[in-house]
């Protein structure tokens, strides 16, 4: 149900929404696991890299969730997030976590959440929640950002009993963006070798 070539796969999240919405939807496969390349002189090569080829398919064999050496791509992380066995919502300081497993409880798991405002973590907490399969639990956070300069967000991570990260999901917090006042003095630029320094009224 998805093709991992190039900057893909970008449709996995929407398909997984359908998997959880319709019980008769069994899911699908991603084409495919890893890129196929030939390593020559330490360089990964594919079609078009050899002058002796009468014809080739260029990089069409590079369509994997991971690179040929098994390193992650952006698509690897996209698929991991989409396959996360939980979803969450955050509104008015209420964090609601839903267990998407069919049979497994979150007992023994750790749920960590981080609330960030303008890139600074304002709350970081570990929770031991017994969330049964297909059920939800709501907790109240200490931080509930209602304003920011650049943006606010919350990251929720599910950690297995052995300490392994299962998945991390993020969500933007709907906080009011505060506009900064205009500076009266123009910024100054100073060049020194390979560095350029920018200085202003408030930075």
């Amino acid at each position: 149900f998805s093709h991992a070539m190039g900057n893909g796969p970008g449709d996995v999240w929407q398909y997984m929404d359908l998997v959880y919405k319709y019980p008769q939807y069994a899911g699908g496969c991603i084409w495919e696991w890893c890129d196929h390349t030939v390593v020559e002189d330490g360089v990964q090569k594919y079609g078009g890299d050899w002058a002796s080829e009468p014809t080739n398919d260029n990089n069409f064999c590079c369509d994997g969730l991971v690179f040929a050496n098994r390193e992650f791509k952006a698509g690897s992380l996209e698929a991991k997030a989409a396959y996360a066995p939980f979803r969450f919502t955050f509104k008015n300081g209420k964090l609601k976590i839903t267990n998407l497993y069919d049979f497994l409880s979150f007992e023994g798991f750790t749920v960590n959440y981080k609330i960030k405002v303008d890139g600074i973590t304002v709350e970081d907490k570990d929770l031991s929640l017994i969330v049964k399969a297909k059920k939800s639990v709501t907790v109240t956070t200490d931080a509930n950002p209602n304003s920011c300069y650049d943006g606010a967000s919350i990251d929720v991570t599910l950690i297995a009993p052995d300490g392994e990260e299962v998945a991390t999901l993020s969500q933007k917090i709907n906080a009011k963006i505060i506009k900064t006042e205009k500076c009266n003095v123009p910024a100054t630029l100073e060049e020194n070798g390979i560095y350029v320094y920018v200085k202003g009224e408030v930075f």
Side-chain angles (χ1 to χ4, degrees), residues 172-188:
K172 178 182 177 182
I173 296 175
N174 188 22
K176 181 181 179 182
I177 302 294
I178 301 174
K179 293 183 178 180
T180 55
E181 295 183 7
K182 291 183 178 180
C183 296
N184 297 318
V185 181
T188 61

Side-chain angles (χ1 to χ4, degrees), residues 4-193:
M5 188 171 188
N7 190 27
D11 53 2
V12 183
W13 188 278
Q14 289 80 3
Y15 273 116
M16 292 308 296
D17 283 345
L18 298 177
V19 169
Y20 293 121
K21 183 177 180 180
Y22 300 106
Q24 67 270 35
Y25 190 161
C29 299
I30 296 177
W31 188 271
E32 62 185 320
W33 167 236
C34 67
D35 289 350
H36 301 280
T37 63
V38 174
V39 177
E40 187 175 84
D41 299 326
V43 177
Q44 296 181 33
K45 297 183 178 181
Y46 48 78
D49 285 333
W50 295 274
S52 60
E53 297 172 282
T55 184
N56 67 78
D57 288 325
N58 296 305
N59 65 336
F60 211 80
C61 57
C62 296
D63 55 358
L65 269 176
V66 295
F67 290 106
N69 62 359
R70 305 324 193 242
E71 288 183 359
F72 283 173
K73 302 180 180 180
S76 318
L77 303 178
E78 164 69 11
K80 178 181 179 180
Y83 289 164
F86 74 96
R87 293 292 186 266
F88 80 91
T89 59
F90 180 76
K91 188 175 182 180
N92 298 327
K94 302 292 184 181
L95 174 61
K96 181 181 178 181
I97 299 172
T98 301
N99 180 349
L100 297 179
Y101 281 130
D102 287 321
F103 307 105
L104 187 64
S105 165
F106 282 170
E107 185 174 2
F109 286 71
T110 299
V111 175
N112 171 270
Y113 70 85
K114 292 182 178 67
I115 297 177
K116 301 176 183 178
V117 179
D118 298 327
I120 299 172
T121 299
V122 295
E123 187 173 352
D124 184 345
K125 187 171 288 188
D126 289 334
L127 304 173
S128 296
L129 302 176
I130 301 176
V131 189
K132 295 183 178 180
K134 300 300 184 186
K135 299 296 181 180
S136 301
V137 169
T138 300
V139 297
T140 301
T141 62
D142 295 328
N144 181 27
N146 52 30
S147 64
C148 56
Y149 290 102
D150 298 313
S153 63
I154 178 170
D155 302 335
V156 178
T157 301
L158 181 65
I159 304 169
D162 64 359
E164 187 76 18
E165 177 191 316
V166 178
T168 297
L169 300 179
S170 301
Q171 179 184 310
K172 178 182 177 182
I173 296 175
N174 188 22
K176 181 181 179 182
I177 302 294
I178 301 174
K179 293 183 178 180
T180 55
E181 295 183 7
K182 291 183 178 180
C183 296
N184 297 318
V185 181
T188 61
L189 296 177
E190 178 187 343
E191 186 173 355
N192 183 358

